[in-house]
Amino acid sequence: MKNRKVTIFGMGVSGLSALRLLHREGADITVISQGKVDFWPNLEQILKYVPREKCYSQEEIKLDTELVILSPGISKKHPLLKDIKVPIWSEIELGFKYVDAPIIAITGTNGKTTTVTLLGEILNSMGHSAFVGGNIGIPLCDYPFWKKKAEYIVLELSSFQLEAMESFKSKVAAILNISQNHGERYDHFKDYVSAKLNITKNCESFLYTNEVPYKGPGKRIDLSDIEMDWDLTNFKIPGKHNLKNLYVIYEILNILGLDLKKAEGTLSSLSGVPFRMQYLESDFPLCVFNDAKSTNWDATLTAISSVEGDIYLILGGQKRGKGDSILPHLAEIKKHVNKVFLIGETTDSLAREIGDEAFAISCYKLETAIEEAHKESNGTLIFSPAFPSFDQFKNYVERGEAFSKLIMGES
């Protein structure tokens, strides 16, 4: 990479990590992001690695580069990338060049964060040092700065990241499921599926489930017939969907040739993932679960089906443009849920489709939804939005933290 002209397009978490690594490697770096440079929120960090005159707004530059490192939030169809003849890599592809351990790569529409987290916990508890990163929030380009060598690299990969892969190779690649999602990015469902299937390129072993619309090479497992030689009485994370996640982990460990009995002994220590059906212990009159990571209907339907009794659901967020209608799912929601509190940009459209003001309360704001839910005295409150967070929050983490603080009575 020394002296190679590299442009980093998008200066979020992954872009900043790529910048740090490329600076270490002596690349000739230019960075591009949205908005006026002087107003970039992380400009101070960026200027540690590249001079101000090499920072540009995407509206004021024409690319002159040998390589583009593309943020997952930016499509390869962006006008700035039109007709360029140089490689376009994700931050994952760049980080891969500096990895010295076998990679376990996991994708899927739902469950990938939980699966990656639990697999990392199990490996570490077994004494196998694991770096857990990717779409989960820790960029792969952070790994070269680790002080110790990992025995395994466990990566959560999104369809966005998988769009820009070239030579990335994994020891085990797994797809948990694929259902309609990211209508704002993909014109057709087949395009989304195709992006997910990029994970199969160059992998040594491929594992997929019956919830993936794919027929081809690899090991297919049936999630309707789960068979594990483990005693699951110590596995305390709720929901059938988490048993499915665990089954995929079981099969990955089996492919790796690791001691399954030793892995079984770690189950009691597993704690789950923040903002994915996370139980909140509080003085709220209802039992509360924070499922703020939900950005699609399947995730929310899974959440409400994992709890018994009276359920109150907080639903809504940023419109996607495709797959937003609640009508195909309304009967299933009404089967499980007593009342819905609608929030976000989707409030009015969902309320019109539901057409029942007693069942669906238009709240718009999260604070109002929680105030309305507080009037109920028995049952479970689930915050599982089914839509992206960007209408009112920076990301799903900020959304989840805001919900937890409100439930706990914190300002």
Side-chain angles (χ1 to χ4, degrees):
M1 284 293 173
K2 190 169 180 61
N3 297 322
R4 189 175 185 184
K5 293 172 72 173
V6 182
T7 297
I8 304 173
F9 190 3
M11 291 310 300
V13 174
S14 64
L16 192 59
S17 180
L19 173 61
R20 184 167 68 135
L21 179 57
L22 288 167
H23 175 266
R24 190 192 76 174
E25 296 300 305
D28 179 5
I29 310 165
T30 298
V31 299
I32 305 172
S33 204
Q34 189 174 23
K36 293 184 178 180
V37 174
D38 291 335
F39 294 100
W40 290 357
N42 54 1
L43 180 61
E44 186 176 346
Q45 292 173 285
I46 292 169
L47 293 179
K48 293 178 183 177
Y49 306 107
V50 67
R52 171 63 178 78
E53 59 267 23
K54 302 281 279 188
C55 301
Y56 295 91
S57 165
Q58 65 185 40
E59 291 80 22
E60 62 183 19
I61 187 174
K62 184 175 180 180
L63 289 182
D64 177 20
T65 189
E66 299 173 58
L67 172 67
V68 174
I69 306 299
L70 188 62
S71 164
I74 300 170
S75 171
K76 291 174 73 175
K77 297 178 181 178
H78 191 282
L80 196 58
L81 303 174
K82 186 179 180 182
D83 299 326
I84 69 165
K85 306 298 183 183
V86 302
I88 300 174
W89 293 356
S90 66
E91 172 269 330
I92 297 293
E93 176 69 24
L94 174 64
F96 168 71
K97 312 296 184 185
Y98 301 91
V99 164
D100 54 1
I103 293 174
I104 305 161
I106 296 173
T107 194
T109 302
N110 296 304
K112 54 188 180 292
T113 298
T114 300
T115 304
V116 164
T117 301
L118 296 183
L119 177 56
E121 288 182 13
I122 289 172
L123 288 169
N124 282 313
S125 295
M126 293 173 69
H128 300 293
S129 173
F131 173 89
V132 179
N135 193 56
I136 199 170
I138 304 173
L140 182 56
C141 284
D142 280 9
Y143 175 68
F145 295 92
W146 254 36
K147 293 181 180 178
K148 62 178 181 178
K149 181 181 182 296
E151 196 171 342
Y152 292 99
I153 306 284
V154 184
L155 296 179
E156 174 189 336
L157 298 180
S158 70
S159 59
F160 298 170
Q161 290 167 318
L162 288 165
E163 288 174 13
M165 297 296 204
E166 186 175 274
S167 59
F168 176 84
K169 180 179 180 180
S170 61
K171 186 171 184 65
V172 181
I175 304 180
L176 307 175
N177 46 64
I178 301 180
S179 58
Q180 186 72 50
N181 202 17
H182 295 304
E184 78 287 357
R185 177 89 161 219
Y186 301 104
D187 293 332
H188 305 285
F189 179 56
K190 66 179 182 180
D191 299 327
Y192 175 56
V193 174
S194 178
K196 288 290 190 188
L197 287 172
N198 280 337
I199 201 171
T200 66
K201 293 178 180 177
N202 305 317
C203 68
E204 292 183 23
S205 298
F206 174 46
L207 176 70
Y208 66 102
T209 76
N210 60 306
E211 296 180 3
V212 177
Y214 165 83
K215 291 182 180 179
K219 181 176 182 179
R220 182 180 183 272
I221 60 172
D222 187 349
L223 297 179
S224 64
D225 185 23
I226 295 175
E227 293 184 6
M228 290 182 279
D229 189 21
W230 279 350
D231 179 0
L232 299 177
T233 55
N234 289 323
F235 184 64
K236 303 300 184 184
I237 302 174
K240 185 178 179 182
H241 59 293
N242 280 315
L243 278 180
K244 294 180 179 181
N245 296 335
L246 189 64
Y247 186 28
V248 173
I249 291 170
Y250 179 92
E251 292 294 344
I252 289 173
L253 295 173
N254 200 18
I255 290 171
L256 292 172
L258 298 179
D259 187 339
L260 293 176
K261 281 298 177 185
K262 188 175 182 181
E264 181 183 2
T266 71
L267 298 183
S268 61
S269 65
L270 301 179
S271 56
V273 178
F275 315 131
R276 174 57 82 198
M277 281 304 284
Q278 177 188 12
Y279 173 70
L280 299 181
E281 193 164 340
S282 70
D283 294 327
F284 202 80
L286 304 173
C287 178
V288 181
F289 286 93
N290 187 344
D291 195 42
K293 198 174 188 301
S294 164
T295 58
N296 57 69
W297 289 115
D298 277 2
T300 294
L301 293 173
T302 297
I304 62 177
S305 65
S306 67
V307 175
E308 296 181 352
D310 295 337
I311 294 175
Y312 301 90
L313 175 66
I314 299 178
L315 180 71
Q318 183 191 46
K319 291 180 179 179
R320 288 178 295 251
K322 292 185 178 71
D324 289 349
S325 175
I326 196 173
L327 294 178
H329 318 287
L330 188 55
E332 184 68 15
I333 290 171
K334 284 190 169 184
K335 188 168 77 174
H336 295 279
V337 174
N338 293 43
K339 190 179 291 186
V340 173
F341 306 105
L342 301 174
I343 65 168
E345 185 184 14
T346 55
T347 298
D348 291 338
S349 57
L350 293 179
R352 281 194 300 272
E353 287 189 326
I354 294 170
D356 182 347
E357 293 182 4
F359 176 71
I361 313 299
S362 294
C363 300
Y364 299 97
K365 297 288 187 181
L366 187 56
E367 296 89 338
T368 306
I370 291 173
E371 288 172 6
E372 290 292 327
H374 199 278
K375 298 174 183 178
E376 308 296 337
S377 56
N378 291 296
T380 299
L381 175 64
I382 300 178
F383 179 38
S384 187
F387 288 88
S389 58
F390 307 118
D391 56 333
Q392 296 179 331
F393 301 94
K394 190 164 59 177
N395 50 42
Y396 82 85
V397 174
E398 184 179 80
R399 176 165 71 180
E401 289 174 344
F403 177 75
S404 294
K405 286 180 179 178
L406 289 166
I407 291 295
M408 301 300 181
E410 301 174 16
S411 57

